[in-house]
Amino acid sequence: MPTTALPAQSDFAYQAQLGENDQSLQRVPLSLEVILALTRADLGDIAVFNAQGKQLVHTIMRAATPVQELSRSLPVHEFSHFLRQHSKTVTTREQSRQAGSLTELETTRTVPVQTRRKDYLVELGDDDTVPKFERIELQWTHEPAEQILELKVEVGNALDDLRVIKPRKRLTNLDAADLGWRSIEDIPAGYRYLHLTPLGNVTHFELRRVTGHYRATGSAPVLRHRIETKSLDDGDILYYTAHFPSQVSAESLRVIPGAPNSVISGQLYASWDDDDTRSLIQREFHQHNIENADISPSAPIRLARRPYRSITLSSATTLSAAPAIELIYPQYELLFLGDGNAPYTLAWGNYASVAPAGDLSAIIQGSLQQAQQNAGLASLGAIAESGGEARLAPQPTLPWKKWLLWTLLIIAAMVTARMALKLYREMNQSAST
């Protein structure tokens, strides 16, 4: 079975050299210029070449959503906790002198001994702002200091509704370098309070500071591209339409009014072939910015996973200026395995592209997501033409077969007509004689 040769660097429309990186596994964020020049919806017409023009194994992934490590100081409320322990016998003696004689009165009584210890209520947050804490870090002192501190840990949303999550949590200040010895982990989400009660033979416990550590997930990185619309008058309804610039599908879009203090009201359609395949993506679309002079885009409108090629907005009224469409694409990254033969070059845009050079997931141990986080970041250099725009679409060819067929048909018709005319003349000559 014949094998298909991998495309060369000149088979792609554009190229850009990658910044050098010492790591073998590297990732390259794909810019908007790359996305807009691709000819395949699956981003299949991208390749990475080494200095000798050999294509390297790669895969394309979405850029990781940023996660930020955060911490906050938590309010602490102190309560006195009295413990009744063993009783103590106390003997008192009183002496008095009467009429020259000394008398002594001895009294013995049993006194209960109480120990005062402190327990603490920690506010994790209110009803709407309680994050999922990775760990709660404590700063405290206790006596005896060389003894391991044992705490009963409870959570709840009210003082009379607490549940135990750690019956005996053991902590110590003896190992200052290990935060695990001073932290409480696995705190369940959705609770406002954390109640800490010292246990055992601790005679003194003073909580000085509580810090909650958690993670906040940011917004996924995106690429934005603005396209202008053209108006189409269809009698009673005015349409504003625009064609998508890339085969790569946008995930969402925003409608941007063309002028301040304007109101847009209509319906939003998208098509993936021609007008007959138009699909309604939002009924009764409304967007206005009449409260101020600023131009306010609409909220993002999610697009279905279809190869849409154009967008159309109907309007019951004529707008003073045509609105624009902002397409929102995911931020993609190309992950590739270098072979030490730098500099590497990224090439893209090839209508005749074939499958990638290999499967990176079969080479890398572990998950690709973890590999993506550990990969070195390579920058995209200046963009230059490689094969040029001719590689973005096949060149139109002359329909010579069709023309040849029509030529043969015309010649055959002419020969037939000539033969018919000759036969007609011969028949007329025979009739006259």
Side-chain angles (χ1 to χ4, degrees), residues 207-281:
L207 188 59
R208 295 181 174 179
R209 182 180 176 87
V210 179
T211 304
H213 298 269
Y214 61 100
R215 295 183 180 184
T217 303
S219 300
V222 296
L223 300 175
R224 302 178 184 271
H225 179 60
R226 176 171 173 153
I227 55 177
E228 304 298 330
T229 64
K230 295 181 180 180
S231 60
L232 298 173
D233 195 349
D234 188 16
D236 298 334
I237 302 178
L238 187 65
Y239 292 97
Y240 295 92
T241 183
H243 291 280
F244 288 180
S246 174
Q247 294 292 328
V248 180
S249 299
E251 281 195 336
S252 58
L253 60 82
R254 297 196 301 173
V255 178
I256 305 175
N261 306 113
S262 61
V263 178
I264 302 176
S265 181
Q267 300 186 81
L268 200 60
Y269 302 89
S271 61
W272 58 88
D273 189 8
D274 51 37
D275 291 340
D276 295 334
T277 58
R278 182 185 298 172
S279 174
L280 179 65
I281 61 174

Side-chain angles (χ1 to χ4, degrees), residues 7 23 38 40 54 117 133 147 150 154 169-170 208-209 232 306 358 369-370 400 420 426:
Q23 294 183 230
L38 296 179
R40 289 178 49 154
K54 177 186 176 182
R117 286 196 314 205
F133 290 103
Q147 178 177 303
E150 292 185 333
E154 300 170 282
K169 174 62 180 177
R170 292 176 172 84
R208 295 181 174 179
R209 182 180 176 87
L232 298 173
R306 290 183 177 176
Q369 287 73 20
Q370 186 63 40
W400 60 270
E426 290 178 352

